[in-house]
Amino acid sequence: MRRTKQVPARPAVGPCARWAGDPEIIREIMDRIGDKWTMLTVSTLSDGPLRYTDLHRAIPGISQRMLTLTLRQLTRDGLIGRTSYPEVPPRVEYTLTPLGDSLVGAVQVMANWSVDNHETIRANREDYDLAESG
């Protein structure tokens, strides 16, 4: 029988070193808030409540399935609220909760960084692809 040598775990460094408790939930939250559809949904709702159809129109490229999934996840996490009105036809509005509103600043910083740096990143990708292909 072959024995495997156990390698001792390295201590966490950087932001991971500051995570007390369950690091898995921190990674899940970072995955959620770093998702492009989450950022676009939060940013769009920062202007006020919207109905599903208006939200879908306001986020180019998002499918109905992905919007539904994103809204469900953000509602579960308490970042957005969903209000149903007993009307015919039924009306549902989505809005940011105070927790979701606290995320808007970070989302806008990321969006602004993307706008400010997209040309440089595009050029870097083209240079990389050219170097890799030849």
Side-chain angles (χ1 to χ4, degrees):
M1 183 189 309
R2 187 174 176 197
R3 290 190 174 171
T4 58
K5 183 178 177 183
Q6 288 190 350
V7 178
R10 291 188 321 165
V13 295
C16 299
R18 295 190 300 272
W19 297 348
D22 182 10
E24 182 64 26
I25 187 73
I26 303 298
R27 287 191 297 272
E28 289 174 9
I29 293 167
M30 290 178 68
D31 185 47
R32 170 86 65 247
I33 64 175
D35 174 72
K36 69 180 173 185
W37 299 124
T38 293
M39 288 205 261
L40 291 169
T41 301
V42 167
S43 182
T44 302
L45 287 173
S46 70
D47 291 332
L50 287 173
R51 294 173 72 165
Y52 180 93
T53 304
D54 297 326
L55 194 52
H56 187 252
R57 282 190 205 124
I59 304 173
I62 194 167
S63 68
Q64 289 184 349
R65 180 185 180 283
M66 186 52 65
L67 179 58
T68 299
L69 181 62
T70 301
L71 292 171
R72 188 173 292 134
Q73 291 168 337
L74 294 174
T75 300
R76 180 176 182 240
D77 289 342
L79 297 171
I80 64 170
R82 179 183 187 275
T83 305
S84 297
Y85 296 93
E87 301 172 353
V88 177
R91 178 170 59 110
V92 176
E93 283 186 343
Y94 296 91
T95 187
L96 291 177
T97 63
L99 182 61
D101 196 47
S102 73
L103 183 58
V104 171
V107 167
Q108 289 175 338
V109 166
M110 294 289 288
N112 290 338
W113 184 91
S114 298
V115 169
D116 292 345
N117 293 287
H118 75 279
E119 291 295 336
T120 301
I121 290 173
R122 183 177 312 188
N124 290 342
R125 288 177 178 179
E126 290 172 3
D127 292 345
Y128 178 88
D129 293 345
L130 186 60
E132 287 294 308
S133 67

